[in-house]
Amino acid sequence: DEDCDGSGKKAARWVIDPDPPNKDRMRDLDQDFDCMYHARVDSEDRQQPPTAGDWIVFCGGEGWKVQKLALVQHPLGAGVPEIAPAAPDTLVNFSFSGTFCAGREILQDLEFDKAGRTRSGSNFFKSRRHDLYMYHDPSCEGPLIGTPRWIIDDDAPNPQRERDLDEDSQCLYLARVDSASSMSPPLVAFWKVQCEGGWQDICIAMNVTGEENVGEASAARRPRRRLAALILSILVLILADESLP
């Protein structure tokens, strides 16, 4: 909506609203002469909303808050994408999608295969290129009390260890997402990714392929699946807790 109350003074924005827009109007598309909605993000791009960004969201009695919203692509007819971790026996092969920072472009479309189980019974995965690993570590430095997380690392995990699976006594890795669920990583989440300029929050979606890695030649011949259409699903992760005026 280029001007949500029709006054000519409001910034252009994308709006999440219970009222449908009037397609024949240029401004105040819900015709309420006010800026009433569930959430909004300022943007001059008329073609599509930002795939990930800070939205202003109305949280009832808590007022307005800044929240990170990500738009996730998935095939038409596939239903709502699973945000909770997948069942451990169903997540066997997957690829990454996201908008990756400088220094981590190799993660785009990177494909992983299940490579084994750790001592805790958690699956771990190995990429088909670049020799990267994803695994769950209850405590990456090794103490009994630590922050459990899924990790993307260039060091292979030792499946016989319970903690500090890469045996470096440090929390050194390419990316991580805190998660108490050791059975499977979240299919959509904001990960802390080590970029050239420091750590950044990047939304990573795992697209389940269900295709076995049967060799590079066969993989090269395998046709890429095309999305027939896009349905936008919103994953809300609160990154800030302040109220807005």
Side-chain angles (χ1 to χ4, degrees), residues 1-6 10-15 17 21-22 25-32 34-35 37 41-43 45-46:
D1 199 324
E2 293 186 6
D3 183 18
C4 55
D5 63 2
K10 301 297 184 182
R13 61 194 62 182
W14 284 88
V15 169
D17 194 342
N22 183 332
R25 291 179 66 89
M26 296 292 294
R27 293 177 291 275
D28 185 24
L29 272 62
D30 62 356
Q31 305 178 82
D32 64 357
D34 202 350
C35 295
Y37 35 68
V41 61
D42 292 349
S43 174
D45 187 350
R46 301 179 181 179

Side-chain angles (χ1 to χ4, degrees), residues 23 34 120 180 194 219 245:
K23 295 182 291 184
D34 202 350
S120 67
Q194 189 179 40

Side-chain angles (χ1 to χ4, degrees), residues 103-217:
R104 292 292 175 252
E105 297 89 348
I106 61 172
L107 297 178
Q108 182 65 50
D109 297 324
L110 193 62
E111 295 176 300
F112 283 81
D113 296 292
K114 179 180 173 181
R117 289 183 185 269
T118 65
R119 187 171 180 178
S120 67
S122 172
N123 290 335
F124 69 92
F125 307 87
K126 182 179 180 182
S127 66
R128 298 180 184 179
R129 296 176 288 116
H130 308 301
D131 291 327
L132 299 182
Y133 297 85
M134 179 190 290
Y135 58 89
H136 188 267
D137 201 327
S139 178
C140 53
E141 290 181 315
L144 290 175
I145 299 177
T147 302
R149 58 192 55 174
W150 282 91
I151 287 171
I152 301 171
D153 199 346
D154 52 8
D155 293 324
N158 182 341
Q160 301 305 315
R161 291 180 64 89
E162 293 183 353
R163 294 174 295 276
D164 183 25
L165 272 63
D166 62 356
E167 304 180 85
D168 64 358
S169 300
Q170 301 181 74
C171 294
L172 297 177
Y173 36 69
L174 279 65
R176 58 93 170 165
V177 60
D178 293 348
S179 174
S181 174
S182 64
M183 301 311 294
S184 184
L187 294 187
V188 184
F190 281 92
W191 289 63
K192 291 283 187 183
V193 180
Q194 189 179 40
C195 303
E196 289 184 354
W199 293 92
Q200 293 186 22
D201 292 303
I202 295 178
C203 182
I204 297 179
M206 291 188 291
N207 306 306
V208 180
T209 63
E211 299 168 341
E212 295 184 359
N213 184 16
V214 292
E216 293 183 1

